[in-house]
Amino acid sequence: MPNLLKHEDSPYLQQHKDNPVHWYPWCDEAFELAKKHNKAIFISIGYSSCHWCHVMEHEVFENIEIATKLNEDFICIKIDKEERPDIDKFYQEVYMILNQGSGGWPTSIFSTPENKPFYAGTYIPTKSQEDMMGFGDLIDIISLKIAQNDKVLFDNAQDIQAYLQPSSRPTQAATLSDNIIRTFMNQCNHNFDISFGGFGQAPKFPQISTLKGLLDIYLLNKEDKALHMLTHTLDSMVQGGMYDLVQNGFCRYSTESTWLVPHFAKMSYDNALFIELFTLSYKATKNEKYLNIAKDTANFMIKFMSKNNLFYSASDADSDGVEGKYFVYDYEETLLFFQEHGFNEDDALEILSHLRITASGNFEGSSIVRFEQESRPEHYEKAIRLLDKIRQERDYPFIDKKIITSWNAMMIKSLFLLSNYDESFKKIAIEHMDAILEKLYKDKHLYHTSMIGLQAKTRAFLEDYAYMATSLIQAYQCSLDKTYLSLAQEMVDKALADFFQEGKWFFSRGEFITDADIFDSSYAGCVGVIVDALLSLGILVDQKYRDLAFMSLEYHSADLVKRPLRYPYLFNQAIRYIKEDRVIKGSEDFLQKVNSSFENLDYPFVQRYLSSENQAILCGTQSCYTNLDIKSNLEEELQKTL
């Protein structure tokens, strides 16, 4: 049977269509053949911007000897984790059970002919090493044991099946109170990198939900330590490396502690969440640098990562098979280029020194652009333009052009938020919202992903409904167009019908029944996000949604109060529930006239609601506090209610 991936839409699967391995996509035919011919099943899960996925492809899946063995004795299935996150979540749980620790990508699963998993790994090298069996030796052993119907192997696979059930309800609930803020701050302090910001050791991930939690704590309590941890981290990240000073946009994570050497992939979700965080940080601090970073990142996404008002999913770290090649600079070549384009030698040497482009380099002999000073020197803008021009002569890294609903929703929400401070982004946000709804919301059904020009196939998961709902609510807050609010309610009602059961949320309930995440990984777990939407609808539409938010918080409260840093987005929603939302209700004319005052309110949990009543009013979740007019001091009136 030939490699069947050439028929698939996914760019990641298309990357593997020429492998000598006879790959199948996830399909019934593959599993039927495994049973019929008594062959083990090998399932490989990855995504297009995953560096180690590319390494394993080159070393293992392009190896003729290994491919021949796989084709003879295995049914091989390739999965794009971004296209089928439900399958990925299921097999990450398999990995956890088999290895007593979290997995990663590529994910390598071996199953019996009945598709009962018994072995799970991540990257597996071709040949055995001191502490790791090589792929060739591993498949020799597995194929032999399957042929012999090895009792131990099949019994173990059967035992594992018993663990692969959705988790049961927690045995107890805990009281949610302000004390959770102190626990969160203590855990942040313990993990904070006082030198370079961020949390934990390398590799360092941005942990945007944690930073947003610190921002809210500062706004609520004026706690300077929270603000310092936030701003020190932001200031460190934007010095270059993690943040691309030449073409803007953020990379996935830093491979070391100073944010200099990133994994060069750029993900839509990271950049969306950074736009939101920097915009909100500007609102709180009035630091223009933060607003400029937000706008530059948005413009990067619009220029490089979108088409037809739809955002792509990711760009790769590698160019021509070399990680970071597109992004780094050779000293001699750059110096010569600058001199050929208007710099004299002294000025060129000076500006290259400022930008840390040196003869010795800071990344494998080349240089990542870095600028660590507060004020920009003479010729800075010209130098950045020339560095951009150098890149334009290179091949841009591969872009995975999947359109993923939840990630587009994150970007659109951030654009609407940003438009409060730069009106030019409002039209762009509306156009992107219209495009994603037209593309992936069909006949009252939301879909998870598609390609431009192709039909969507996979129905949406909880995260798609959750992120779309919060994006639509932000669109309503920005535009006061009640169509957005009605659609948000529609999304949440559908999510409640399909994924909710007595306080518990499921990520998927179709072919795979998987629990929804409360912890934040690459981005916020969808339980926290759907609670966010419920709380907003609870103040804007109907109290019942707030009650459902409480059920969701209570369900996870025992873990949440002990380890809030593990669940920062859900922590934020718990604080929001405790402190309670406020809403300013009024006519469109009134709300527009007080908009600048509204945007400068410190309290982080305030909504606007377009009312048909002539009288504007400030309300809470249970009662209204005071009438308002255009002469009212919104900040003073709001503070009286807290």
Side-chain angles (χ1 to χ4, degrees):
M1 178 65 69
N3 186 326
L4 298 180
L5 299 185
K6 65 182 179 181
H7 304 297
E8 294 301 302
D9 295 343
S10 160
Y12 174 65
L13 299 187
Q14 285 290 318
Q15 287 178 343
H16 289 266
K17 65 182 174 60
D18 295 322
N19 293 168
V21 177
H22 292 170
W23 291 114
Y24 288 83
W26 185 270
C27 60
D28 292 340
E29 180 187 2
F31 298 110
E32 290 166 1
L33 285 171
K35 287 182 182 178
K36 180 179 179 180
H37 298 290
N38 194 40
K39 289 187 175 184
I41 298 168
F42 170 56
I43 299 170
S44 175
I45 307 172
Y47 57 103
S48 65
S49 57
C50 166
H51 173 70
W52 285 103
C53 298
H54 299 326
V55 173
M56 191 163 175
E57 177 190 18
H58 176 66
E59 293 181 355
V60 177
F61 305 142
E62 293 177 353
N63 182 300
I64 298 298
E65 182 180 349
I66 287 177
T68 301
K69 182 68 175 176
L70 282 172
N71 296 338
E72 288 176 354
D73 295 337
F74 294 80
I75 297 296
C76 301
I77 298 173
K78 202 62 161 116
I79 297 167
D80 180 345
K81 88 174 189 77
E82 295 170 353
E83 184 178 52
R84 290 299 304 268
D86 55 332
I87 298 175
D88 177 61
K89 282 179 65 64
F90 177 83
Y91 284 111
Q92 294 306 321
E93 185 178 352
V94 168
Y95 185 98
M96 286 276 290
I97 292 169
L98 287 168
N99 296 285
Q100 300 300 303
S102 59
W105 300 275
T107 303
S108 303
I109 304 290
F110 288 91
S111 299
T112 67
E114 293 75 30
N115 195 27
K116 295 178 180 178
F118 57 83
Y119 183 93
T122 52
Y123 163 77
I124 305 173
T126 306
K127 297 185 180 299
S128 295
Q129 301 174 0
E130 186 174 328
D131 59 346
M132 183 184 296
M133 183 178 292
F135 198 90
D137 292 339
L138 180 63
I139 61 176
D140 283 343
I141 292 171
I142 289 173
S143 62
L144 179 62
K145 287 183 175 292
I146 293 293
Q148 294 174 339
N149 288 315
D150 185 271
K151 185 177 186 303
V152 173
L153 184 149
F154 281 88
D155 286 350
N156 286 343
Q158 186 63 43
D159 291 343
I160 291 163
Q161 287 295 111
Y163 290 95
L164 293 173
Q165 305 297 329
S167 59
S168 59
R169 184 180 181 90
T171 55
Q172 61 181 14
T175 302
L176 294 171
S177 72
D178 277 6
N179 293 335
I180 196 174
I181 295 178
R182 184 50 43 207
T183 304
F184 181 83
M185 283 296 296
N186 288 339
Q187 291 173 356
C188 284
N189 276 316
H190 179 74
N191 289 280
F192 184 64
D193 180 344
I194 60 174
S195 297
F196 303 105
F199 302 91
Q201 299 176 338
K204 285 171 74 172
F205 290 83
Q207 301 192 37
I208 294 174
S209 295
T210 300
L211 297 172
K212 174 62 165 56
L214 291 170
L215 176 59
D216 285 349
I217 290 170
Y218 168 72
L219 292 172
L220 290 168
N221 299 338
K222 291 297 181 280
E223 191 158 343
D224 290 338
K225 179 65 174 178
L227 182 63
H228 170 73
M229 285 192 279
L230 168 68
T231 57
H232 184 45
T233 301
L234 298 185
D235 293 342
S236 298
M237 280 196 290
V238 299
Q239 290 179 339
M242 178 75 177
Y243 179 70
D244 182 358
L245 290 173
V246 178
Q247 292 175 328
N248 307 313
F250 287 85
C251 298
R252 175 76 274 268
Y253 61 86
S254 178
T255 63
E256 43 72 66
S257 62
T258 71
W259 308 104
L260 168 64
V261 182
H263 174 54
F264 292 91
K266 293 182 180 179
M267 314 299 293
S268 285
Y269 55 77
D270 282 323
N271 284 281
L273 298 175
F274 269 121
I275 294 166
E276 179 181 12
L277 179 63
F278 274 88
T279 302
L280 292 172
S281 298
Y282 164 73
K283 176 184 176 183
T285 66
K286 298 300 182 285
N287 186 334
E288 289 286 339
K289 176 175 72 174
Y290 296 157
L291 181 60
N292 290 333
I293 292 289
K295 291 195 288 188
D296 288 345
T297 303
N299 285 324
F300 157 76
M301 288 296 298
I302 293 162
K303 178 179 179 180
F304 288 91
M305 296 290 289
S306 70
K307 182 180 179 181
N308 297 350
N309 297 317
L310 297 164
F311 288 105
Y312 300 142
S313 61
S315 63
D316 208 339
D318 301 359
S319 301
D320 302 324
V322 179
E323 185 173 14
K325 181 179 179 180
Y326 176 82
F327 298 94
V328 300
Y329 294 89
D330 176 81
Y331 174 71
E332 296 293 343
E333 289 179 5
T334 308
L335 178 60
L336 178 61
F337 190 85
F338 274 38
Q339 290 177 278
E340 291 173 345
H341 289 79
F343 276 89
N344 63 48
E345 184 176 4
D346 288 342
D347 287 344
L349 289 170
E350 181 180 359
I351 192 65
L352 291 185
S353 175
H354 281 302
L355 296 174
R356 298 295 185 265
I357 300 175
T358 64
S360 57
N362 53 27
F363 176 72
E364 299 179 359
S366 296
S367 295
I368 297 169
V369 178
R370 179 90 161 175
F371 183 72
E372 299 168 347
Q373 302 166 36
E374 281 300 317
S375 58
R376 293 177 174 179
E378 187 180 6
H379 307 307
Y380 178 90
E381 285 77 13
K382 180 180 178 181
I384 293 297
R385 287 196 299 271
L386 290 180
L387 293 172
D388 185 26
K389 192 170 184 178
I390 290 173
R391 285 193 188 173
Q392 291 174 26
E393 301 300 316
R394 302 171 178 174
D395 291 332
Y396 197 81
F398 174 81
I399 295 177
D400 187 324
K401 296 182 178 180
K402 278 196 308 296
I403 310 303
I404 296 176
T405 297
S406 55
W407 300 4
N408 272 258
M410 294 179 206
M411 268 302 307
I412 295 164
K413 178 187 176 187
S414 294
L415 291 175
F416 272 115
L417 179 65
L418 184 57
S419 74
N420 290 326
Y421 308 98
D422 186 332
E423 182 72 19
S424 67
F425 287 103
K426 184 174 181 179
K427 180 174 181 290
I428 297 169
I430 291 171
E431 290 171 345
H432 280 76
M433 180 66 86
D434 290 345
I436 196 67
L437 290 170
E438 181 181 355
K439 178 71 176 173
L440 290 169
Y441 192 50
K442 304 285 188 182
D443 300 322
K444 303 291 185 180
H445 289 292
L446 191 64
Y447 287 81
H448 172 64
T449 184
S450 184
M451 300 288 292
I452 291 175
L454 298 176
Q455 291 296 313
K457 300 174 184 176
T458 305
R459 288 282 180 90
F461 305 102
L462 175 61
E463 77 165 35
D464 299 302
Y465 283 100
Y467 278 103
M468 275 303 301
T470 55
S471 183
L472 287 160
I473 290 165
Q474 183 63 58
Y476 171 71
Q477 288 298 303
C478 177
S479 67
L480 298 176
D481 182 344
K482 285 198 171 181
T483 303
Y484 291 133
L485 185 59
S486 296
L487 272 173
Q489 185 178 6
E490 202 170 285
M491 296 286 176
V492 169
D493 287 345
K494 179 67 171 172
L496 287 164
D498 289 355
F499 302 106
F500 186 70
Q501 184 177 332
E502 297 179 351
K504 177 175 180 173
W505 288 95
F506 294 89
F507 181 87
S508 59
R509 295 181 84 176
E511 183 178 5
F512 288 89
I513 299 175
T514 58
D515 291 349
D517 292 332
I518 63 168
F519 59 86
D520 298 357
S521 52
S522 299
Y523 47 89
C526 49
V527 172
V529 182
I530 196 67
V531 170
D532 182 347
L534 287 167
L535 288 173
S536 293
L537 293 181
I539 193 76
L540 295 171
V541 177
D542 192 317
Q543 170 71 24
K544 71 177 183 181
Y545 293 108
R546 179 174 165 82
D547 296 338
L548 290 163
F550 175 72
M551 286 179 64
S552 305
L553 289 166
E554 184 183 47
Y555 190 92
H556 298 289
S557 58
D559 273 346
L560 183 59
V561 298
K562 292 177 185 175
R563 296 178 292 177
L565 187 59
R566 191 179 179 198
Y567 320 109
Y569 200 102
L570 193 63
F571 159 79
N572 267 24
Q573 303 315 308
I575 294 305
R576 182 180 170 191
Y577 180 84
I578 293 164
K579 297 294 186 181
E580 300 188 5
D581 281 16
R582 302 294 187 269
V583 60
I584 296 173
K585 300 180 179 182
S587 67
E588 183 170 5
D589 180 64
F590 172 80
L591 293 175
Q592 294 292 356
K593 285 179 178 177
V594 301
N595 185 60
S596 60
S597 297
F598 178 84
E599 291 304 331
N600 285 313
L601 293 173
D602 281 345
Y603 192 66
F605 312 129
V606 189
Q607 307 278 351
R608 299 194 302 168
Y609 182 77
L610 180 60
S611 171
S612 58
E613 302 294 328
N614 291 327
Q615 179 62 58
I617 192 166
L618 171 62
C619 298
T621 57
Q622 301 289 338
S623 61
C624 290
Y625 298 107
T626 185
N627 292 337
L628 300 169
D629 58 42
I630 58 173
K631 296 179 181 179
S632 299
N633 186 315
L634 294 188
E635 183 65 41
E636 287 183 4
E637 297 298 337
L638 179 62
Q639 287 299 321
K640 292 175 185 177
T641 74
L642 301 179

